[in-house]
Amino acid sequence: MVIKHILVLLFLVFRLSSAKVTYNVQSFGAKPDGRSDSKNAFLKAWTLSCNSTSPASIYVPAGRYLIASALTFSGQGCKSRAITFNIAGTLVAPSSYNAIGNAQVWIKFYIVKNVTINGGTLDAQGSSLWACKTSGKACPKGSTVRPYTSTNLHRVFTLGFYHSQNILISKLRSLNSQMFHMLLYSCKNAKIQGVSIVAPGLSPNTDGIHLTYSTGITILSSKISTGDDCVSIGPGNSNIWIEKVVCGPGHGISIGSLGWEREEPGVQNVTVKTTTFVGTTNGLRIKAWARSSNGFVNGVYFKGATMMNVKFPIIIDGNYCPNNNNCPNEASGVKISNVMYENVHGTSATRVAVKFDCSKGNPCRGIVLKDVDLKFGGQPANSSCSYAAGTASGLLHPTSCL
């Protein structure tokens, strides 16, 4: 009988310790009026969640919540096994770009584990910075056009996860980022699903999702409309899965740019499936700077892509040099190999629908085309190959140049 009571007591203790606790940001002073700074209320809810020995939930009710300066959620010392943000409202940045223009990230998660973001909207109000950049005025350092690398962190991200693992971002909407919308930097095992990313087609450097030095990343069932790459895969990424993504407007799904740094980790094991590109500059792109580097791309599988009036549906640019700036006219050192394109169809906005412009110093190897059907204005399209080797089979329009 005593043993039975002990077992019941242990069961109740276990149930209590595993029950999720919920913190409503309004309980800590957050105002849904879009004018009162709610940053401290979010930090208080995060601190309590971190200190909880049970899984915790942070609830953001409907309304607009001003986050007037850069906000960091640090996971160092967290006791909670999991923290979930359930967001019914909108987090809004200040209308003046100077408030967060010199910060690297508006909303940052640093060294966190088992964090989930469900729903909600992030409105970064980036139009004032875009106007500054197009006017030629002096803008915050976040408006630099140099590539985002481990030594050049001058970008303004709406949402960034750093050195984190087991992350889920679901049904989140990101609007009008000053520059990049989402960043995963040195992360493991993250899933982004059902997100919506929106910025005008002419908004500069507003990449949708940027990955750097990360592994085990999945992007599913999302719609991305930006002024730059819908998804950009930078150096040091591996085991990336992208599926059922609609891109447009924007610059396509890009591996790169790579090779800006001489010593740079490569990109490997990337799968991109069941994608649609609408009026984009590029479709499936790999780009590498024309400069010396030990970087590489190996093991990429593009399957099931629909192109709708895309300027460059399939492109490898091994001599990437936008606006002819910061390019020493060297041969690219990035080695590109084992890249397959299967079941890619639709329309090209230019006659050259397939373009492999590879490095003279490091030609592309192991390129595979299978069942590629692309047309230009109802007419046959062309393909162009420079320093590219591989095989082609199945239905091929345009005719392969490999």
Side-chain angles (χ1 to χ4, degrees):
M1 192 70 176
V2 174
I3 295 176
K4 182 179 179 180
H5 285 302
I6 292 174
L7 291 175
V8 171
L9 181 61
L10 289 173
F11 175 75
L12 291 174
V13 169
F14 173 77
R15 286 290 301 272
L16 288 172
S17 65
S18 61
K20 181 177 287 188
V21 293
T22 299
Y23 299 101
N24 186 325
V25 295
Q26 289 188 0
S27 299
F28 306 102
K31 303 294 184 185
D33 58 12
R35 299 184 304 273
S36 306
D37 188 5
S38 296
K39 174 180 175 178
N40 288 335
F42 278 78
L43 285 174
K44 289 176 182 177
W46 174 261
T47 300
L48 287 172
S49 297
C50 270
N51 289 333
S52 172
T53 56
S54 302
S57 173
I58 297 173
Y59 177 58
V60 183
R64 290 176 65 82
Y65 299 85
L66 175 65
I67 306 296
S69 58
L71 171 60
T72 297
F73 298 112
S74 175
Q76 293 175 298
C78 267
K79 299 175 183 178
S80 179
R81 295 189 301 274
I83 299 176
T84 299
F85 283 79
N86 288 313
I87 306 176
T90 297
L91 279 60
V92 58
S95 57
S96 171
Y97 60 77
N98 284 310
I100 60 173
N102 287 314
Q104 185 181 338
V105 187
W106 176 37
I107 299 172
K108 178 178 181 179
F109 290 84
Y110 181 68
I111 314 182
V112 301
K113 296 180 181 179
N114 304 311
V115 167
T116 296
I117 298 176
N118 281 325
T121 299
L122 306 178
D123 184 357
Q125 300 203 97
S127 59
S128 61
L129 180 60
W130 310 335
C132 178
K133 292 170 68 175
T134 56
S135 71
K137 297 178 182 178
C139 304
K141 64 182 180 181
S143 63
T144 178
V145 297
R146 283 188 58 201
Y148 182 83
T149 67
S150 60
T151 57
N152 170 40
L153 305 180
H154 292 172
R155 285 288 190 269
V156 181
F157 296 90
T158 291
L159 175 67
F161 281 84
Y162 292 74
H163 308 287
S164 299
Q165 56 185 301
N166 303 330
I167 305 303
L168 173 60
I169 303 172
S170 178
K171 299 181 180 179
L172 177 67
R173 191 169 185 236
S174 179
L175 300 178
N176 298 328
S177 182
Q178 290 196 5
M179 294 188 72
F180 291 22
H181 286 257
M182 297 182 189
L183 165 70
L184 297 181
Y185 183 96
S186 190
C187 292
K188 296 180 180 179
N189 302 325
K191 179 184 288 187
I192 300 173
Q193 65 181 21
V195 302
S196 173
I197 296 176
V198 180
L202 296 179
S203 56
N205 302 116
T206 53
D207 291 51
I209 300 170
H210 184 66
L211 310 178
T212 300
Y213 303 106
S214 294
T215 186
I217 309 302
T218 301
I219 302 172
L220 297 176
S221 304
S222 296
K223 174 70 170 68
I224 305 174
S225 305
T226 72
D228 211 298
D229 293 329
C230 291
V231 180
S232 52
I233 301 170
N237 289 293
S238 62
N239 303 325
I240 309 300
W241 188 282
I242 300 170
E243 186 173 3
K244 295 182 180 177
V245 169
V246 178
C247 170
H251 294 182
I253 293 177
S254 296
I255 298 176
S257 56
L258 305 176
W260 177 264
E261 295 182 328
R262 188 174 297 272
E263 299 293 327
E264 183 178 276
V267 174
Q268 56 189 333
N269 193 17
V270 176
T271 298
V272 180
K273 292 181 63 178
T274 320
T275 50
T276 301
F277 300 86
V278 182
T280 53
T281 305
N282 308 286
L284 306 169
R285 174 167 66 160
I286 300 174
K287 53 180 177 176
W289 286 89
R291 52 193 294 147
S292 179
S293 174
N294 66 347
F296 67 88
V297 177
N298 183 51
V300 179
Y301 185 28
F302 297 115
K303 181 179 181 180
T306 300
M307 305 290 172
M308 301 174 65
N309 199 37
V310 175
K311 189 174 182 181
F312 299 111
I314 294 175
I315 180 169
I316 295 178
D317 186 355
N319 299 286
Y320 179 67
C321 184
N323 304 317
N324 293 315
N325 290 329
N326 299 311
C327 306
N329 296 314
E330 300 177 23
S332 176
V334 176
K335 297 177 175 61
I336 300 173
S337 59
N338 302 318
V339 181
M340 182 174 185
Y341 304 85
E342 181 179 359
N343 188 24
V344 180
H345 62 275
T347 57
S348 174
T350 60
R351 187 171 294 279
V352 180
V354 178
K355 183 176 182 180
F356 299 132
D357 183 16
C358 300
S359 168
K360 182 178 181 179
N362 290 284
C364 298
R365 299 182 294 106
I367 307 300
V368 177
L369 294 173
K370 182 179 180 181
D371 295 326
V372 174
D373 186 12
L374 295 166
K375 294 180 174 60
F376 166 64
Q379 306 173 29
N382 294 336
S383 60
S384 173
C385 293
S386 297
Y387 306 105
T391 61
S393 63
L395 178 66
L396 295 172
H397 296 135
T399 303
S400 171
C401 58
L402 293 170

